[in-house]
Amino acid sequence: MSKTQISVLPLLVLSVAMLLWASSFIALKFAFVDYSPMFVIWARMIVASCCFVLFIKQFFRFEYKAGDWKLLFFMALLEPCIYFVLEAEALMNTSAAQAGTITAILPLLIAVIAFFTLGERITRTQLLGFGIAFTGVVALSLGSEATENAPNPAWGNFLEFLAMCCAAGYSVLLKRFSVRYSAVFLTAFPAFVGAFFFTPFVLMMPFPTHFSVTGASAILYLGMVVTLGAYLCYNFAISRIPVTVAGSFSNLIPVFTVMLAWLILDESLSYSQLLACGLVALGVYVSQKRGGFKKA
């Protein structure tokens, strides 16, 4: 494989992962119509775990070092456990388009965590970009009005922001382990942990007694296509490129999400919300300008 192919492949794979993640906001909206958020998350993890049984041989290909289990479990606790709880509750209160827009600040959050853990310095330009993007996120929430799809958008957007904090911590830990662990292991392990984590919550709730083709199809899509496909793509790519570069690709999620929400859910953004989205995009652009990331 040529050098050009090696550099292009992770970028293409990352783009596919971002499209799949964007589609998850739409699928969750459909699933939550028929089933409770906790049941949907649990079923998603069960479906993903069953799929990973097919890759059981690749699962055990890793180079374990003493103490790894602590950070591995912490990584899985951040995502999918806490992350999915926050995102599920967020999508019960805000629209898919707004939740997708919040993901634009993920690269900046990754940069902040990378500053403390990976030795990447945060420049003044990057701090400026973070401030602009965060202002845009606040403006997006303040300019939101309650609708049928978004009964409490300000609260939902805040929860999605917290979910992005978990995703940023997950990404940095993922980069740390990608040197010694395969993409299959780093994708399957959190799914297995998530399945066990959500089981007690589901057992404490009334189990669904009805069957919905739409809801079940959405759950299967989330477990098989998004969890299996998107996370495998992301974990594969992050093992080959810097975490800050991989994180910057999450800027595609708001674009894909808004497009899919408009096409499938008939969602739209007001002019003030579009301006807020533009502010988020501007902040992200400023932070990604040349010289935004430097090695300490």
Side-chain angles (χ1 to χ4, degrees):
M1 184 178 288
S2 67
K3 184 177 180 180
T4 302
Q5 290 175 313
I6 293 174
S7 61
V8 171
L9 180 60
L11 305 184
L12 293 176
V13 171
L14 267 178
S15 299
V16 172
M18 298 307 117
L19 177 60
L20 293 176
W21 268 326
S23 69
S24 70
F25 290 103
I26 314 300
L28 285 169
K29 279 289 188 181
F30 279 113
F32 291 163
V33 172
D34 299 298
Y35 301 109
S36 67
M38 196 60 65
F39 176 80
V40 170
I41 298 172
W42 172 79
R44 174 182 181 175
M45 293 293 98
I46 293 296
V47 171
S49 298
C50 292
C51 291
F52 281 120
V53 173
L54 301 175
F55 302 92
I56 196 67
K57 290 184 178 180
Q58 290 86 349
F59 179 84
F60 292 101
R61 295 176 182 175
F62 55 81
E63 182 185 341
Y64 178 81
K65 287 188 177 180
D68 278 358
W69 68 272
K70 297 178 182 178
L71 285 179
L72 283 170
F73 273 103
F74 181 64
M75 181 183 74
L77 181 64
L78 289 175
E79 189 173 349
C81 299
I82 300 176
Y83 173 88
F84 281 158
V85 170
L86 291 171
E87 187 167 82
E89 188 62 26
L91 286 172
M92 295 293 290
N93 290 277
T94 191
S95 66
Q98 292 184 64
T101 302
I102 304 298
T103 62
I105 64 172
L106 179 58
L108 306 180
L109 295 174
I110 290 177
V112 172
I113 297 178
F115 168 75
F116 293 103
T117 60
L118 301 181
E120 293 185 359
R121 187 189 313 165
I122 302 179
T123 66
R124 293 180 179 178
T125 302
Q126 197 171 354
L127 285 175
L128 175 63
F130 181 83
I132 295 174
F134 188 76
T135 301
V137 170
V138 174
L140 177 66
S141 297
L142 294 178
S144 303
E145 297 181 358
T147 64
E148 184 179 353
N149 286 331
N152 192 353
W155 175 242
N157 291 342
F158 174 69
L159 292 177
E160 186 63 28
F161 169 76
L162 294 181
M164 289 304 103
C165 293
C166 292
Y170 167 87
S171 296
V172 173
L173 287 173
L174 185 69
K175 180 62 179 178
R176 172 173 179 160
F177 287 118
S178 63
V179 178
R180 293 182 284 107
Y181 292 81
S182 68
V184 171
F185 177 89
L186 292 174
T187 309
F189 179 76
F192 292 146
V193 173
F196 281 104
F197 178 84
F198 290 111
T199 295
F201 296 99
V202 173
L203 293 177
M204 291 187 293
M205 301 170 59
F207 205 78
T209 56
H210 66 285
F211 177 80
S212 166
V213 175
T214 302
S217 299
I219 290 174
L220 288 174
Y221 176 80
L222 288 165
M224 297 176 65
V225 181
V226 177
T227 301
L228 183 65
Y231 278 92
L232 272 177
C233 289
Y234 185 71
N235 295 350
F236 167 81
I238 207 172
S239 65
R240 287 160 173 77
I241 60 176
V243 64
T244 47
V245 175
S248 68
F249 266 70
S250 63
N251 299 327
L252 294 173
I253 297 179
V255 179
F256 290 147
T257 305
V258 171
M259 290 173 58
L260 292 173
W262 174 66
L263 290 171
I264 301 174
L265 300 178
D266 198 28
E267 290 184 1
S268 60
L269 297 174
S270 64
Y271 288 113
S272 61
Q273 290 174 312
L274 287 173
L275 288 174
C277 291
L279 200 59
V280 173
L282 175 62
V284 172
Y285 170 75
V286 170
S287 70
Q288 297 292 313
K289 287 182 66 176
R290 190 172 182 178
F293 296 103
K294 291 183 179 179
K295 273 290 182 182

